[in-house]
Amino acid sequence: VQLQASGGGLVQAGDSLRLSCAASGGTLDNYALGWFRQTPGKEREFVAAISASGRTTYVSFSVKGRFTISRDDAKSTVYLGMNSLKPEDTAAYYCAARRGPDSDTYYILNYDYANWGQGTLVTVSS
């Protein structure tokens, strides 16, 4: 399955954005999904994850209470809702997918994922 992320842009601190990641060449059924972000010179950082069932989610401490992850399997799309954006949220955001043996497990490590989208840039100005 191929992933295509979209929805990034330039916003001001305090604004909201919703990123989308759509699958092609297959559906996201039975895939656990995640969002990561990366800034130049730094390693890719975990942001949020959702299990294949959609019943379990997890977000990193740095975005807890501001970001939410959700999925719509009918549209083969995963979303990252971002509220109260801060300048430190500025990064390229990547979606990722993997098949999992357990429908309720989420994954938070880069190497857990086999499929990656191309990234969408989010810039938050102060």
Side-chain angles (χ1 to χ4, degrees):
V1 65
Q2 290 78 46
L3 303 175
Q4 178 78 34
S6 62
L10 173 62
V11 297
Q12 293 185 335
D15 284 353
S16 298
L17 271 180
R18 188 177 76 161
L19 305 184
S20 300
C21 177
S24 60
T27 68
L28 292 179
D29 294 1
N30 303 313
Y31 279 85
L33 305 167
W35 285 96
F36 292 76
R37 65 187 182 186
Q38 189 171 25
T39 54
K42 293 189 176 181
E43 293 188 356
R44 195 165 292 186
E45 173 193 15
F46 167 78
V47 177
I50 187 167
S51 63
S53 68
R55 286 190 289 265
T56 54
T57 62
Y58 183 76
V59 297
S60 70
F61 178 79
S62 62
V63 304
K64 189 174 184 179
R66 301 187 297 121
F67 290 14
T68 57
I69 185 171
S70 60
R71 62 189 297 157
D72 185 341
D73 288 345
K75 296 181 179 179
S76 292
T77 301
V78 59
Y79 302 99
L80 183 68
M82 305 186 294
N83 296 322
S84 302
L85 282 161
K86 302 177 182 180
E88 51 263 44
D89 295 319
T90 294
Y93 283 74
Y94 298 86
C95 54
R98 65 154 288 162
R99 290 186 179 273
D102 182 343
S103 63
D104 287 330
T105 299
Y106 55 78
Y107 301 88
I108 66 172
L109 300 176
N110 289 344
Y111 59 74
D112 285 328
Y113 291 92
N115 304 81
W116 289 85
Q118 87 292 357
T120 184
L121 183 62
V122 174
T123 303
V124 185
S125 64
S126 58

